Amino acid sequence: MCEARSVGTQPAAERGRRLLDRVLAGVPTGESPLRHVRELPERAATSVPWPDWVSGSLRGAFERCGVVAPWAHQVEAATHAREGRNVVIATGTASGKSLAYQVPVLSALAEDRRATALYLSPTKALGADQLRSVAALDVPEVRAASFDGDTPLPERDWARAHSRWIFTNPDMLHRGILPAHAKWAQFFRRLAFVVVDECHGYRGVFGSHVALLLRRLRRVARRYGTDPVFMLASATVSDPAESASLLAGVPCEAVTADRSPRGARTVALWEPPLLDAYQGENGAPVRRSAGAETARILTDLVVEGARTLAFVRSRRGAELTALSARHALSEVDSSLPARVAAYRAGFLPEERRALEKDFASGSLLGVASTNALELGVDIAGLDAVVVAGYPGTLASFWQQAGRAGRAGDGSLVVFVAQDNPLDTYLVHNPTAMLDKPVEATVIDPTNPYVLAPQLACAASELPLADACLSTFGGAVARRVVDDLVADGVLRRRPTGWYWTSRERPQASVDIRGSGGEQIAVVESDSGRLLGTVNPGSACATVHPGAVYLHQGTSYVVDELELEDGLAMVHREDPEWSTTPREQVDISVLSTVERQVHGGGAVSVGLGEVAVTSHVVGYLRRLPSGQVLDQIPLDLPEQTLHTRAVWYTLSEALLAEAGVPHRHVPGALHAAEHAAIGLLPLFATCDRWDIGGVSTALHPDTGEATVFVHDGHPGGAGFADRGHAALIPWLTATRDAIAACECPAGCPSCVQSPKCGNGNEPLDKQGAVAVLDALLRILVTKKGETAA
C-alpha cells in the first residue's frame, strides 16, 4: 500500500460546506444544532530534494508509490536518525510520518545486509497496515514480517529466523520476544533501529508500562552489543521531546514543523436537540443522544456518497450507530445498508482485516468505529469524519479529525456533543477546543504498581545489577527491588538480583492496565467466540442479564465466571437495555500532600486511596428512558488501590454558603460529577479513566469531602494533574454548571452516565454554592482570580 499524493478536483472549502449543508437539510428554522463553524484553510506543501545518502533504487521505490519529492519535515527527521540521534516526529495526521522512518531504516538495511529493525505500534491493525506499506515498496532483502498475536506459529518461526524488520506491538514484545531473547540473539546482535509509532497513545498506566518495556528492550539489546537508534512518531503533542525522552528512556530530538499539504476543513461543533417528549432521571431534560445524532449524520453522508468514518466512544455505541444507520438507509436504497459497518476492538482478527480492506477499497462507504481506527491505519481520501463525544484529549480529537481530507482534499469534520458537562462546555466555548494547544502525555514509570512487575520481568530476562537500576528509576527502583526480595519474588546474590520461580512473570503482567486476562464472550449454543471484554469492566458490562451487542446482534448474558474468564450469552433481542447499579466506598491510605486554607474551612489533599466498588444490581430501561425494574446481583467486591485528589469543606463554611445540611450530599455529589466531567480539559484522560466519591462526612477527613481518583492501580497521573491545576479546573467546573439552562440538573451539567447511584441525590444550585465558597477561599489564598 503506497502513500498516494493527489489533489481533489472540487474546491476544498466548498466541498466541506456542501456536506455540512446536506446534513443540515430538513432541520427546522430556529432549531439548528450548530453551535460553531470554523473553516480551516488549506496549507501548501514544502518539498525538498532527497538527501544524497538515499540510494537511487530506494528513491525509485518511493516514486513508484507516488512520492516524487519528500516533505521538509520528513527529511529533517530521517537525517537525525541517519546520523545516530534518537528522534520524535510530532506532526499531524497524513503528514507522512511513515516515510520519515522508512527512509533511514530501509537505507540502513540495504547498506548492511546483516542489520535488523523493530517496529512497535499500539494496535495490531496499525502494524499490519504499516507492514503492507513497506511490502509495497518491494525493497530487496528486507524480508519484513509480522510477529503478533494474529501471526500463525509457523510464520512466527520464519520471522524470528529470517526477517530483518519485525512488525509487532508492545504486548508481543513483552510476552513473546524479550522473555525468549536467547532465541532472538541473531536479531538483537544486529538491531539498528527501533520505531515506536503513534507514541502519543502511550499514556497513563499503559504508557508507564511501555516506558519500562522500552528500557527492558534497550537492556537486552546492550546484552547483545547493540544500542539501536529510537525513532518515535506522534500526533501533535505538547513538548514532544520531553514526552518521547521519558517514554523511550533516551534523549530525543523533536521535529514539529509540519510541511505537508492539508486540504481545507470545515469543522462544525454540533449540540443535539432537546427531546420535548422525554424526561430523564429525576425529570431532567434529555437531549437526543450523540450516538443517535451521529447515526443520522452518517446516514445523510452515505446517501450523499461521502466516505465517512464516525468515531463513537464505546463498543456498544459503535454497534448501535451502525445498526441505526443501516436501518435508516434501508428505507432509502436497499443496496446502501450493506455499505455501512461497525468496527471495534474485540472483533476477531479476520473480521477486522476484512473491514479494513473493504473500507480502504471503498466497498464500505460508512464505518462507525471506536478509537480502534484512530491510530494510523491508512484509510485515505475520506470525505467526512464525525466525532461522537470528546475523545478524552485534544491530541486524539485532532488525530481523529485528521482522518478526513487526506491527500489534500477538502472535508467535513463534525463534533457531536454528548450530553455531559465537558462536551456541553466545549461546544459553547469553541476556543477551548479549536484554539487551545494540545496536551502533554502523562506517564509515570516510577509508579510502584507498574515498576514492581516490570522489574520482576526484567530480572527474569537478565539478572538485575546495581548499574542497571538507574535506568529503571534509581532510588525508587532500589526500594521496589528490596520489596520484591522481601516478598520472595527476587533473590539477592553477590552478582545481582535473580528471578526465583520457574514460571516467567510476563504472562501474568498486564501492560494495558485492564486488570488481567480478557473475559471471553462465548455463545452458549454454538460455542462461538464473539469477542472479549476488559476484566475491570466485566461486572458492569457482562453481568448476568446484561444486554451485549456484537456486529449489530443482541445477546443476553446467562452467566459470568470471573475466575475462568468466561461470559456465556444467548442470542436475544429484548426491548430494553441494561444499566448497572454500583456502590462505591473510598478510604485514604496515605496523604502525600495536604494544604489547609481559610483557617481550616477548606483543605486540599493528594494521596493514595483504596476504592471499593460493588455492582449490586442493574436497571432495565425502555428506549424512552422508562425504568422497567431493578434486578439484584450477587457479584464480588473489587478493590482498587490508586491516587486521588480531594477537598474538604467545614460545616460552618457550608452553612455560610447557604447549603442546608440536608442538601449537602446532593450538592457535593453534583460538584463531584461535574468535576469528573471537566478534568479531561486539564489532564490527558477521559471521564472513563477517572472516578469519584463524595460524602457529607468522610471518616478519614472528618468533614464533607469530594474525591476524584484515577481508575488504574497505583494511579496514572490524572489526579496529580488535577491537583496541580485545581483552581482553573474547579473554576471551569463551576462555570459549566452555572451556565447550563436546565432548572435542576441534567446530563449537560451534573448528571453522569456512569453514576452507580442513579444520579441521586443531586443539587445543582448547591453545587454552584459549594464551588463558589471553595474558590473564594482558594483564590484569596493564592492571590489569583477565578476568571
Side-chain angles (χ1 to χ4, degrees):
M1 184 186 303
C2 295
E3 182 179 323
R5 296 185 179 177
S6 62
V7 178
T9 57
Q10 184 174 5
E14 292 181 15
R15 181 179 180 83
R17 179 61 76 166
R18 179 177 61 81
L19 291 175
L20 179 58
D21 290 342
R22 175 66 182 85
V23 298
L24 283 169
V27 174
T29 304
E31 297 182 16
S32 173
L34 279 184
R35 296 295 172 263
H36 185 78
V37 178
R38 177 78 59 88
E39 302 290 350
L40 302 183
E42 292 183 271
R43 180 182 62 211
T46 302
S47 298
V48 296
W50 288 102
D52 294 339
W53 50 267
V54 179
S55 69
S57 60
L58 185 57
R59 295 183 199 181
F62 280 108
E63 287 173 359
R64 287 193 299 273
C65 287
V67 183
V68 177
W71 296 317
H73 64 278
Q74 295 173 320
V75 171
E76 182 183 356
T79 301
H80 278 305
R82 171 74 175 186
E83 296 176 355
R85 292 184 291 273
N86 305 298
V87 61
V88 55
I89 178 169
T91 53
T93 310
S95 60
K97 293 186 285 287
S98 299
L99 184 144
Y101 59 72
Q102 288 170 355
V103 168
V105 172
L106 292 172
S107 294
L109 297 185
E111 293 167 5
D112 180 359
R113 298 293 174 151
R114 294 166 53 86
T116 61
L118 182 69
Y119 169 95
L120 296 171
S121 70
T123 67
K124 287 182 284 190
L126 173 57
D129 185 77
Q130 290 301 301
L131 176 58
R132 288 191 293 268
S133 177
V134 168
L137 291 168
D138 196 23
V139 178
E141 299 300 319
V142 171
R143 299 193 296 273
S146 172
F147 194 91
D148 61 29
D150 293 346
T151 308
L153 290 177
E155 293 182 22
R156 294 187 193 185
D157 292 339
W158 185 93
R160 184 171 56 243
H162 303 291
S163 177
R164 298 178 59 216
W165 195 350
I166 292 291
F167 285 72
T168 188
N169 50 56
D171 310 82
M172 184 57 80
L173 179 65
H174 165 65
R175 294 191 176 193
I177 297 178
L178 293 182
H181 61 79
K183 296 181 179 180
W184 291 82
Q186 179 174 289
F187 181 85
F188 280 115
R189 287 193 185 103
R190 304 169 180 178
L191 185 60
F193 286 96
V194 174
V195 176
V196 184
D197 207 354
E198 302 291 5
C199 66
H200 68 282
Y202 299 118
R203 60 182 179 87
V205 168
F206 180 39
S208 301
H209 272 292
V210 172
L212 293 167
L213 177 63
L214 295 179
R215 286 155 177 76
R216 285 166 49 199
L217 169 62
R218 289 176 50 234
R219 182 168 171 258
V220 167
R222 286 196 298 269
R223 163 68 175 77
Y224 292 98
T226 57
D227 187 15
V229 172
F230 277 74
M231 295 194 72
L232 297 93
S234 171
T236 304
V237 294
S238 174
D239 203 349
E242 180 180 346
S243 298
S245 299
L246 181 60
L247 179 66
V250 292
C252 293
E253 301 288 337
V255 174
T256 59
D258 192 337
R259 304 301 185 190
S260 63
R262 185 183 67 193
R265 290 181 192 154
T266 299
V267 181
L269 304 187
W270 186 290
E271 186 176 38
L274 288 170
L275 298 174
D276 295 333
Y278 296 106
Q279 289 185 332
E281 290 176 306
N282 308 314
V286 174
R287 292 190 182 277
R288 181 177 167 91
S289 73
E293 196 77 346
T294 298
R296 189 186 71 75
I297 295 171
L298 179 61
T299 299
D300 287 342
L301 291 169
V302 169
V303 169
E304 188 71 10
R307 296 179 63 221
T308 305
L309 176 58
F311 286 103
V312 188
R313 302 294 297 126
S314 69
R315 295 181 179 187
R316 177 182 174 84
E319 295 275 10
L320 287 173
T321 298
L323 189 64
S324 297
R326 286 199 295 263
H327 177 73
L329 289 166
S330 68
E331 300 177 358
V332 177
D333 183 334
S334 61
S335 69
L336 289 178
R339 304 193 69 184
V340 173
Y343 183 102
R344 61 171 175 81
F347 280 4
L348 301 179
E350 55 270 25
E351 292 178 308
R352 294 197 307 270
R353 300 291 179 265
L355 287 169
E356 292 161 17
K357 180 181 178 181
D358 289 346
F359 197 33
S361 69
S363 297
L364 285 174
L365 268 180
V367 169
S369 173
T370 61
N371 63 357
L373 278 180
E374 174 185 327
L375 299 177
V377 177
D378 191 12
I379 306 296
L382 297 184
D383 300 298
V385 162
V386 185
V387 181
Y390 186 64
T393 67
L394 290 172
S396 288
F397 170 73
W398 289 114
Q399 184 78 356
Q400 292 179 3
R403 297 287 101 195
R406 299 192 64 163
D409 289 339
S411 59
L412 172 67
V413 176
V414 182
F415 170 68
V416 181
Q418 287 185 320
D419 206 1
N420 65 51
L422 177 56
D423 286 27
T424 302
Y425 180 86
L426 290 173
V427 294
H428 289 277
N429 296 271
T431 57
M433 188 168 194
L434 303 180
D435 299 319
K436 185 180 176 183
V438 294
E439 313 88 346
T441 55
V442 178
I443 62 172
D444 180 14
T446 62
N447 177 345
Y449 287 85
V450 176
L451 187 54
Q454 285 291 329
L455 285 171
C457 293
S460 75
E461 292 154 4
L462 295 168
L464 295 171
D466 279 309
C468 73
L469 289 185
S470 60
T471 301
F472 290 99
V476 176
R478 179 57 189 266
R479 288 195 297 272
V480 171
V481 165
D482 290 342
D483 290 340
L484 292 173
V485 171
D487 293 339
V489 176
L490 300 182
R491 180 177 299 160
R492 174 67 194 239
R493 293 178 179 173
T495 54
W497 291 269
Y498 288 74
W499 175 245
T500 60
S501 172
R502 292 183 179 181
E503 300 294 328
R504 295 278 186 178
Q506 288 84 352
S508 61
V509 175
D510 173 26
I511 66 172
R512 292 187 182 261
S514 58
E517 293 292 333
Q518 295 287 299
I519 303 295
V521 181
V522 176
E523 188 176 23
S524 302
D525 294 340
S526 65
R528 182 167 62 105
L529 175 65
L530 298 178
T532 58
V533 173
N534 184 321
S537 62
C539 288
T541 57
V542 288
H543 58 75
V547 177
Y548 175 81
L549 280 179
H550 179 76
Q551 289 282 43
T553 301
S554 294
Y555 297 83
V556 173
V557 180
D558 297 314
E559 55 183 315
L560 171 62
E561 298 292 343
L562 292 171
E563 292 185 2
D564 297 331
L566 192 64
M568 303 300 294
V569 304
H570 70 272
R571 186 166 178 172
E572 183 180 340
D573 189 16
E575 60 179 341
W576 60 81
S577 61
T578 53
T579 305
R581 298 298 300 268
E582 189 174 22
Q583 294 178 350
V584 181
D585 293 312
I586 193 167
S587 58
V588 178
L589 301 178
S590 66
T591 302
V592 175
E593 187 173 341
R594 182 173 182 266
Q595 298 173 338
V596 178
H597 308 282
V602 167
S603 72
V604 176
L606 176 70
E608 298 178 354
V609 297
V611 183
T612 302
S613 59
H614 187 198
V615 176
V616 296
Y618 65 96
L619 303 178
R620 297 194 304 169
R621 296 177 185 272
L622 295 174
S624 65
Q626 177 187 348
V627 175
L628 287 176
D629 52 19
Q630 178 172 329
I631 300 175
L633 289 170
D634 183 16
L635 294 171
E637 290 184 345
Q638 295 179 305
T639 299
L640 170 72
H641 291 86
T642 187
R643 301 262 293 191
V645 56
W646 63 87
Y647 60 82
T648 71
L649 303 96
S650 69
E651 187 175 349
L653 179 62
L654 290 168
E656 180 185 331
V659 183
H661 183 72
R662 68 182 184 279
H663 289 175
V664 169
L668 297 178
H669 194 198
E672 170 217 325
H673 280 183
I676 291 171
L678 270 294
L679 183 55
L681 274 182
F682 303 91
T684 50
C685 65
D686 72 25
R687 65 189 301 159
W688 301 99
D689 287 324
I690 51 181
V693 177
S694 56
T695 175
L697 180 63
H698 193 272
D700 294 330
T701 65
E703 292 184 303
T705 310
V706 173
F707 295 87
V708 175
H709 63 81
D710 288 0
H712 300 277
F718 307 138
D720 293 67
R721 282 291 179 96
H723 182 264
L726 187 71
I727 291 177
W729 170 33
L730 294 183
T731 300
T733 300
R734 183 264 175 211
D735 292 347
I737 300 172
C740 186
E741 297 177 354
C742 73
C746 69
S748 294
C749 57
V750 298
Q751 289 189 353
S752 169
K754 55 185 287 191
C755 180
N757 295 318
N759 286 300
E760 293 180 348
L762 290 176
D763 185 337
K764 175 184 176 180
Q765 298 307 319
V768 174
V770 162
L771 290 168
D772 278 340
L774 179 68
L775 287 165
R776 184 172 63 251
I777 291 177
L778 292 178
V779 169
T780 300
K781 175 70 176 179
K782 296 281 186 180
E784 302 174 4
T785 63

